[in-house]
């Protein structure tokens, strides 16, 4: 096997190579979500030729060290964790946020010691990918980049009526958390110390206090790699795919309630849902209420090779998330030439356009109208082979605009511009 980092010379890099301290609380290989962000930003920075010092949690060490040796990755890991007795706090309601805040504080003091040894040129915070939790790395006395961070995305009020009571309460609490971030003195300290703030979406940028907007750029936190692309194929079944956590804000309930309308025109259609989560019982109850339980394939998390086969054997990927700042599965679907149906909200609404999928407009729309639009989109792709083939032909091209390496180059190009002014 050719080591991944033998491609550095072929890719080319930034003219300015630096010692970068990458603060990534979540960072693990072969994982999704937050760990994937930390891991892939580290890989891309290494490919660009920088000397990367990865500051992350000690419980990530086993997986990181194994993959670092396997791929010969030129990164220097720096592991820090709070005392073991503190970790019990994460099991308490809201305990993870307290633990994360204290980890950030302790990591700063640890980073200060490491800075005296290694003399970093720059510190860059990448995970957690949220603008609502502070980082203290800006106090190291060197340039500090924050992000990309998200978390400013909110679900439209008309689309909350179809949520469970618990979901509506959690959305209100999320609104309060976003409002607090705008006045939180710790976040103001974080923003003020940053030389550059990358926001995953325009919605998040709007919630950053206006006095810091001159530092902000819009940039995805997630990306894909060339290896994730596959050749397109014709699906063997009339099924639609969802992959993700079974949480109310992922919008799966909208697809379930839309499905009876799909079945009226595509009687042999099925919906395949891969994932697990705390709202699975609520979602299964919706399927039962609508009489479609037998037409829904509820599947647990699958190995990556199985997921790749799923992308190749469905009509479309349905991802009606209400406020996803990223949506890595959306990019993976596009990279696998599977068209995407999503809402015009958050990251998915940025990644998908009419060349590679169908984006449902939500402005001024309520639950019932969005559900009808979802059903219409699924029917169109199931019955109009010309439309689907056209979207398939452009999926990978669209996905190729959102690579990890391109994200790094874009961010550091902005940083170089700032340094020159």
């Amino acid at each position: 096997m050719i080591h991944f980092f033998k491609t550095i010379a072929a890719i080319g890099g930034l003219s300015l190579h630096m010692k970068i301290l990458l603060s990534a609380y979540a960072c693990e290989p072969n994982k999704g979500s937050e760990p994937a962000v930390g891991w892939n930003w580290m890989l891309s920075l290494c490919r660009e030729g920088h000397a990367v010092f990865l500051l992350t949690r000690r419980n990530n060490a086993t997986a990181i060290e194994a993959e670092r040796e396997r791929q010969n990755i030129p990164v220097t890991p720096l592991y820090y964790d709070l005392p073991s007795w503190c970790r019990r706090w994460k099991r308490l309601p809201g305990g993870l946020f307290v633990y994360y805040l204290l980890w950030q504080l302790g990591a700063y003091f640890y980073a200060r010691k490491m800075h005296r040894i290694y003399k970093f040129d720059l510190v860059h915070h990448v995970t957690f990918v949220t603008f609502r939790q502070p980082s203290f790395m800006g106090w190291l006395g060197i340039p500090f980049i924050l992000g990309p961070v998200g978390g400013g995305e909110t679900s439209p009020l008309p689309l909350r009526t179809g949520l469970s009571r618990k979901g509506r309460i959690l959305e209100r609490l999320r609104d309060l958390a976003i409002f607090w971030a705008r006045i939180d003195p710790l976040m103001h300290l974080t923003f003020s110390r940053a030389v550059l703030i990358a926001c995953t979406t325009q919605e998040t940028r709007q919630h950053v206090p206006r006095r810091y907007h001159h530092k902000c750029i819009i940039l995805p936190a997630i990306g894909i790699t060339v290896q994730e692309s596959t050749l397109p194929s014709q699906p063997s079944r009339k099924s639609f795919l969802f992959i993700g956590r079974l949480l109310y804000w992922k919008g799966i309930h909208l697809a379930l309630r839309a499905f009876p309308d799909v079945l009226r025109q595509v009687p042999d259609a099925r919906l395949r849902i891969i994932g697990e989560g705390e709202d699975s019982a609520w979602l299964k109850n919706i399927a039962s209420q609508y009489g479609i339980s037998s037409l829904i394939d509820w599947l647990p998390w699958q190995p990556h090779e199985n997921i790749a086969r799923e992308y190749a054997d469905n009509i479309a990927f349905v991802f009606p998330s209400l406020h996803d700042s990223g949506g890595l599965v959306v990019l993976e679907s596009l990279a696998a030439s599977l068209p995407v149906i999503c809402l015009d909200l958050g990251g998915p609404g940025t990644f998908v356009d009419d060349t590679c999928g169908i984006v449902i407009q939500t402005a001024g729309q309520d639950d019932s109208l969005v559900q009808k639009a979802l059903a219409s989109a699924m029917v169109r792709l199931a019955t109009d082979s010309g439309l689907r083939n056209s979207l398939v032909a452009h999926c990978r091209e669209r996905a190729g605009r959102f690579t990890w390496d391109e994200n790094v180059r874009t961010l550091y190009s902005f940083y170089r511009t700032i340094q020159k002014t």
Side-chain angles (χ1 to χ4, degrees):
M1 176 181 177
I2 299 176
H3 280 173
F4 189 79
F5 288 91
K6 288 185 179 179
T7 62
I8 291 175
I11 292 175
L14 301 174
S15 60
L16 177 62
H17 292 161
M18 298 175 287
K19 286 185 180 180
I20 297 175
L21 176 63
L22 188 70
S23 179
Y25 174 91
C27 181
E28 283 188 81
N30 307 313
K31 291 286 185 70
S33 193
E34 297 272 355
V37 173
W39 180 256
N40 283 286
W41 274 80
M42 178 274 293
L43 289 181
S44 289
L45 284 169
C46 288
R47 280 195 291 264
E48 293 292 333
H50 297 290
V52 181
F53 297 78
L54 174 66
L55 176 56
T56 189
R57 291 195 59 202
R58 187 171 297 279
N59 73 338
N60 300 333
T62 300
I64 287 174
E65 294 300 334
E67 196 68 12
R68 182 166 73 116
E69 182 177 351
R70 189 182 74 85
Q71 293 197 51
N72 192 28
I73 303 171
V75 63
T76 303
L78 303 173
Y79 299 113
Y80 171 77
D81 243 328
L82 295 173
S84 58
W85 56 269
C86 294
R87 296 170 204 166
R88 292 193 293 270
W89 298 348
K90 293 193 293 183
R91 304 190 188 101
L92 302 174
L96 174 60
F97 301 106
V98 175
Y99 183 89
Y100 178 73
L101 177 63
L102 294 177
W103 186 91
Q104 289 291 344
L105 184 59
Y108 158 70
F109 287 107
Y110 177 69
R112 194 168 66 175
K113 294 178 183 177
M114 295 299 100
H115 180 44
R116 287 197 287 266
I117 298 172
Y118 295 109
K119 308 297 182 187
F120 306 122
D121 297 310
L122 175 147
V123 58
H124 181 180
H125 169 99
V126 289
T127 62
F128 280 158
V129 185
T130 174
F131 88 111
R132 304 195 303 268
Q133 295 290 323
S135 170
F136 302 100
M137 294 299 164
W139 293 87
L140 289 177
I142 55 179
F144 167 51
I145 294 177
L146 177 65
V149 289
E153 302 78 19
T154 59
S155 59
L157 289 176
L159 297 188
R160 297 185 186 184
T161 58
L163 299 178
S164 64
R165 182 171 179 270
K166 181 191 77 170
R168 292 194 297 272
I169 292 172
L170 290 176
E171 285 302 285
R172 284 298 185 185
L173 292 174
R174 178 183 174 85
D175 293 341
L176 290 173
I178 291 173
F179 172 77
W180 171 250
R182 302 183 69 163
I183 61 175
D184 182 357
L186 292 179
M187 287 312 307
H188 275 268
L189 287 173
T190 301
F191 296 142
S192 66
R193 290 279 171 168
V195 297
L196 183 61
I197 303 169
C199 302
T200 57
T201 61
Q202 184 62 35
E203 295 99 314
T204 291
R205 181 182 181 272
Q206 289 174 350
H207 290 294
V208 173
R210 186 171 297 276
R211 73 182 71 172
Y212 308 115
H213 279 195
H214 67 283
K215 302 180 180 184
C216 294
I217 64 170
I218 308 299
L219 185 71
I222 63 172
I224 60 164
T225 60
V226 175
Q227 289 86 343
E228 287 168 344
S229 296
T230 59
L231 292 175
S233 63
Q234 291 296 323
S236 62
R237 56 196 177 204
K238 288 188 177 179
S239 57
F240 298 89
L241 178 67
F242 170 89
I243 301 172
R245 290 177 291 165
L246 303 187
L247 303 174
Y248 73 89
W249 56 269
K250 291 291 185 178
I252 318 164
H253 63 286
L254 296 171
L256 290 171
R257 290 169 178 154
F259 209 59
D261 285 344
V262 177
L263 294 170
R264 278 188 271 276
Q265 299 183 65
V266 189
D268 53 346
R270 296 190 70 88
L271 185 60
R272 294 176 66 79
I273 298 176
I274 299 177
E276 299 165 1
E278 60 190 50
D279 289 321
S280 61
W282 174 63
L283 293 168
K284 289 178 181 179
N285 185 52
I286 290 175
S288 177
Q289 290 175 356
Y290 279 74
I292 56 173
S293 296
S294 63
L295 301 173
I296 311 298
D297 299 320
W298 301 94
L299 303 170
W301 290 115
Q302 304 288 306
H304 192 268
E305 57 271 20
N306 291 0
I307 295 296
R309 287 194 290 270
E310 289 287 346
Y311 285 134
D313 205 20
N314 287 276
I315 292 173
F317 189 78
V318 181
F319 197 76
S321 178
L322 298 176
H323 51 67
D324 227 302
S325 63
L328 184 57
V329 286
V330 170
L331 285 181
E332 290 178 346
S333 176
L334 294 177
S337 298
L338 181 64
V340 174
I341 300 171
C342 68
L343 309 186
D344 63 342
L345 302 172
T350 300
F351 301 141
V352 182
D353 64 11
D354 58 8
T355 68
C356 61
I358 299 177
V359 182
I360 308 300
Q361 304 300 309
T362 58
Q365 307 294 297
D366 60 16
D367 257 28
S368 62
L369 292 176
V370 168
Q371 289 162 25
K372 288 179 181 178
L374 282 169
S376 174
M378 286 189 270
V379 170
R380 287 178 64 196
L381 291 186
T383 59
D384 188 340
S385 59
L387 171 62
R388 185 180 182 278
N389 290 340
S390 174
L391 298 179
V392 166
H394 293 93
C395 282
R396 283 198 289 163
E397 177 186 352
R398 180 66 179 174
R401 300 183 184 183
F402 303 98
T403 67
W404 298 105
D405 290 339
E406 188 59 33
N407 289 347
V408 166
R409 293 190 191 108
T410 299
L411 182 63
Y412 279 79
S413 176
F414 274 99
Y415 172 71
R416 288 200 308 271
T417 301
I418 290 171
Q419 293 300 96
K420 290 176 182 178
T421 59

